Amino acid sequence: MSLRRRLNRGLAIILCVIFAAHWSAADWVIRAVAEKQMLTRLTHDGDSLLDTLSVDANGQLRFDSSHAGSVYGQAYSGHYFVIHIGDRVFYSVSLQGQTLPFAPTPKQTSRQYHFDTGPHQQPLLVLSRGFEKFGHQVSISIAEDLTDIGHDILGIRIAYFGLSLLVLAAAILLQTSDVRRALMPIKAVRRELAQIANGNQQQINTLVPVEIRPLVKEVNRLLLLVERRLNQSRTAIGNLAHALKTPLAMLFRLAEDPILREHPDFRQQFQQQNDAILQRIDRELKRARISGSFQTGAAFNPHLELTAVVNLLRNIYSDKQFDVEVRVPDQLMRYDREDMLELIGNLLDNAFKWARRRILVEVDCRYGAIIRVSDDGPGCTEAEIAQLSQRGMRLDEAVQGHGLGLAIVRDIAEFYAGSLQIGRSSQLGGLSVTVQLPH
């Protein structure tokens, strides 16, 4: 999963949780405020009912319902009261003879609760308070229907929920945009790395946030280190090969010494080993010479590069007239330019060496890279091809004339985890060498 998608998903989840908690809290607050206002009104109604109590001539408390509010006289108005005076219980007219199972509340106490099975299944908010009036214990329970306020709260809840969804969607869009903007430096770094791979620059120059600045600094340091060590390695290989040339020349002269004529077998083996050492030195010198003048990591454009290589080989083999057909795309290949030049250069060198007249060079970049060089020369026998195709076989020891260049080609192909196929060209009839490199 991409970093941007992970950040967007995490932030969206956090925002959803926060908005859900906020919506729940707001819903609770709205209902609590509404019920508090109802309780205030119920308290005032209870005080009014308490004031209607009076003492009769016998010293008993008397309740006159005519002084209660009109809402308590309308049938099932949603406003009800229950008054306990000793053993006597008085109900509001609005109950129409029904009773409510409200228990009396001790004096100087009060409690509020919900009663869901009121008249006509009305949900009620009940406030019960206990008093002492003229020496008598009085309990007044006032109830109000919550149906209307429930409908009002439901409307507010739906409206607030819709508003919350809009705000949540806007917040997610803004955070997605912000995440995309925050990750732009990483995209810039990726583009610069592609430029480095193409050989257009050496270091990452993008200004990046503080958090990834150490990473970019470390990548730049590693790029510089790799470049330096690669140059040192190439220089060392070239110097070593040059240094071995002089002692090897001495060995060749020793092989021609008349003393060795009396030991022809020893002389032949001595010369063979000298030839093998010379081939290895020539190979490393060639690699160092080709790679040393190019920029490390530069991408390879076969259309641009092969024209120059073919012209160079035409000049080298100017004693022959070749018909060279080049079928290559005009695009960059994400492989090291010097490796590709060495690989194709060696294949072409072999082809120029053995072709009679025609050479065909093909490069296909659609799926990795498929490089094929064919000629109309004598090619190799089936036995030689089988021998050359054996993995691990040193090509420079297998077939005379095709060895050194193909050995370098196989080394490069194996470095890129690619493969090398050797066969006979169906078009030209000579040797056909195909190198397949993965992405």
Side-chain angles (χ1 to χ4, degrees), residues 74-310:
Q74 300 173 8
Y76 306 115
S77 62
H79 295 266
Y80 313 105
F81 65 77
V82 179
I83 301 176
H84 293 84
I85 302 176
D87 297 332
R88 294 177 296 167
V89 182
F90 300 92
Y91 294 96
S92 63
V93 177
S94 57
L95 286 171
Q96 295 294 298
Q98 292 189 27
T99 60
L100 293 174
F102 297 161
T105 303
K107 63 181 180 181
Q108 307 302 326
T109 60
S110 66
R111 63 190 183 98
Q112 59 192 53
Y113 55 94
H114 292 91
F115 185 77
D116 296 330
T117 55
H120 294 176
Q121 298 302 316
Q122 295 171 335
L124 302 177
L125 177 64
V126 183
L127 175 63
S128 292
R129 304 164 66 195
F131 306 93
E132 183 176 353
K133 184 78 172 182
F134 304 118
H136 297 273
Q137 184 171 343
V138 178
S139 174
I140 300 177
S141 297
I142 308 293
E144 183 172 344
D145 185 10
L146 287 170
T147 302
D148 292 339
I149 193 172
H151 289 162
D152 294 340
I153 291 176
L154 179 61
I156 295 174
R157 184 182 297 169
I158 293 174
Y160 188 70
F161 182 72
L163 179 62
S164 297
L165 285 181
L166 289 177
V167 174
L168 177 62
I172 290 176
L173 289 176
L174 289 175
Q175 67 137 41
T176 302
S177 174
D178 189 57
V179 168
R180 185 185 297 111
R181 187 168 55 254
L183 295 179
M184 286 180 67
I186 296 180
K187 289 186 176 179
V189 169
R190 187 176 62 185
R191 287 194 295 270
E192 290 210 29
L193 286 174
Q195 292 296 319
I196 291 173
N198 292 335
N200 296 327
Q201 65 183 68
Q202 295 290 323
Q203 296 278 290
I204 299 173
N205 301 317
T206 300
L207 294 177
V208 296
V210 176
E211 289 78 4
I212 61 174
R213 195 171 298 165
L215 175 63
V216 171
K217 185 178 180 181
E218 187 64 19
V219 171
N220 281 335
R221 190 186 70 81
L222 289 175
L223 287 171
L224 186 61
L225 185 62
V226 169
E227 174 72 18
R228 186 181 303 164
R229 289 185 177 176
L230 189 58
N231 288 333
Q232 290 174 347
S233 176
R234 288 168 176 164
T235 303
I237 291 174
N239 292 340
L240 178 62
H242 278 293
L244 290 175
K245 281 272 187 174
T246 301
L248 185 61
M250 292 295 296
L251 291 176
F252 273 109
R253 282 200 293 270
L254 288 175
E256 299 296 333
D257 195 293
I259 298 176
L260 295 181
R261 293 176 182 173
E262 300 175 0
H263 307 279
D265 294 339
F266 175 75
R267 183 181 181 182
Q268 183 180 4
Q269 293 180 6
F270 194 29
Q271 288 179 336
Q272 287 178 348
Q273 294 303 316
N274 287 341
D275 289 339
I277 296 173
L278 180 60
Q279 282 189 349
R280 296 294 177 89
I281 291 174
D282 286 340
R283 170 182 171 180
E284 298 306 325
L285 277 176
K286 186 177 181 182
R287 298 191 69 168
R289 184 170 57 253
I290 293 175
S291 61
S293 60
F294 297 122
Q295 182 182 2
T296 301
F300 177 68
N301 186 322
H303 180 74
L304 297 177
E305 307 288 355
L306 288 187
T307 302
V309 173
V310 170

Side-chain angles (χ1 to χ4, degrees), residues 318-343:
S318 58
D319 55 327
K320 300 180 181 179
Q321 295 296 322
F322 289 106
D323 178 12
V324 182
E325 184 177 358
V326 180
R327 301 175 184 172
V328 297
D330 184 10
Q331 68 179 73
L332 289 177
M333 298 170 62
R334 292 185 176 277
Y335 303 96
D336 189 79
R337 176 172 178 259
E338 57 193 77
D339 286 342
M340 293 300 103
L341 279 175
E342 187 174 8
L343 188 152

